[in-house]
Amino acid sequence: MTRDIWTMVWKEWREFRDQLLSLRRGGLSALILALILGVVAPVQLGPEWVHSKIIIGYWPFLAATMVSSLIADSVAGERHTLETLLASRLPDAAILIGKIVAAVLYGLGFAVANMLIGLIAVNVAHRESAPILFGAQRFVVTIILTVLASLLMAGIGVFISLRASTVKQAQQTFGIAIIVLTMGPLLLFNALELDTRMRVAVRMAALGEDRAEAYAVGILSLLSVIVIGAALARFRRGKLVLD
């Protein structure tokens, strides 16, 4: 099973690589984004780019965004070649999990690469007596949240792709889902009475950074399990071939 999953991961990564190496297929956009996030922003913000608490949520959001740019057509985009893939000896679960793992590794790799480039840029542009580095705990928590955010986004994207008949439909539905996930909590919070919002804000502040991070890890983990479980239940090669 593990070998089958990594076979699928390698297949997906070869497609990602071809896209990144082709300027017309997304390579130029990725290069510009890496230049802005890995060089321009760190140089302008300086040490604050490393030490700010916002960084814990910034990188998971970035990784999830990168995953969303690829995963929407993970199944819908292979409708014409899916028969050949599904006719192989690879189990259904290996195909689906391989796609998800490949997307998660892509998002994580992009985030970590930009973190390292940014650290170099900050230390070169803002030389201090000691190297400017991420704190060990913050770095570990950021990586964990980045993996979980990418996993959740990949799971949602695959589930939507399984239900979509075309790439365009998958992308449109996925775009709506992203808006609901990102804007929904904010709109819901703003819809509350002022006193209720104040109480919620006070309770959130009273949690403390460590407990807030633990809750974030728990919530993302639970949602990822639910979404990926639903995708695994939906993924049936016989039905996909007939579709």
Side-chain angles (χ1 to χ4, degrees):
M1 182 68 170
T2 302
R3 179 178 295 181
D4 293 333
I5 292 174
W6 284 110
T7 298
M8 194 65 205
V9 171
W10 175 245
K11 178 258 182 190
E12 292 292 304
W13 263 93
R14 289 180 62 183
E15 296 181 0
F16 295 165
R17 179 197 62 191
D18 292 341
Q19 291 183 21
L20 291 175
L21 292 179
S22 174
L23 296 181
R24 294 183 178 181
R25 297 179 61 190
L28 182 59
S29 299
L31 182 61
I32 293 175
L33 189 59
L35 178 64
I36 295 173
L37 298 177
V39 178
V40 177
V43 170
Q44 289 184 344
L45 297 176
E48 185 64 18
W49 181 85
V50 177
H51 302 310
S52 174
K53 295 181 180 179
I54 299 177
I55 208 72
I56 293 179
Y58 173 77
W59 292 112
F61 179 79
L62 172 64
T65 302
M66 296 305 298
V67 169
S68 69
S69 67
L70 294 174
I71 202 67
D73 64 344
S74 62
V75 174
E78 283 190 326
R79 289 292 179 183
H80 299 296
T81 60
L82 197 58
E83 288 84 354
T84 302
L85 179 62
L86 295 178
S88 68
R89 65 172 182 81
L90 296 176
D92 292 354
I95 294 174
L96 185 64
I97 294 174
K99 286 179 173 293
I100 292 175
V101 170
V104 171
L105 290 177
Y106 173 80
L108 177 63
F110 188 87
V112 171
N114 279 278
M115 289 173 69
L116 296 177
I117 295 172
L119 280 178
I120 295 173
V122 167
N123 281 277
V124 170
H126 303 272
R127 296 182 180 180
E128 298 185 1
S129 57
I132 304 172
L133 301 173
F134 294 110
Q137 179 179 348
R138 180 168 297 178
F139 178 77
V140 171
V141 172
T142 301
I143 294 298
I144 293 174
L145 290 176
T146 299
V147 171
L148 291 174
S150 300
L151 189 62
L152 176 60
M153 191 62 66
I156 294 173
V158 167
F159 182 77
I160 290 174
S161 295
L162 289 171
R163 301 183 64 87
S165 56
T166 64
V167 176
K168 184 176 181 180
Q169 181 183 356
Q171 292 174 338
Q172 289 176 341
T173 306
F174 197 27
I176 295 173
I178 292 175
I179 292 175
V180 171
L181 286 172
T182 55
M183 298 299 296
L186 180 61
L187 294 175
L188 181 62
F189 180 78
N190 287 332
L192 298 174
E193 296 291 338
L194 179 60
D195 292 341
T196 304
R197 277 185 285 172
M198 292 296 295
R199 288 197 297 270
V200 172
V202 169
R203 289 184 179 180
M204 290 295 295
L207 284 177
E209 186 174 338
D210 292 341
R211 291 184 64 185
E213 293 169 357
Y215 278 124
V217 170
I219 292 172
L220 287 176
S221 300
L222 178 61
L223 293 176
S224 297
V225 170
I226 293 173
V227 172
I228 294 174
L232 285 169
R234 169 73 180 176
F235 193 88
R236 293 293 180 268
R237 69 176 64 200
K239 188 177 187 308
L240 288 173
V241 171
L242 291 175
D243 288 344

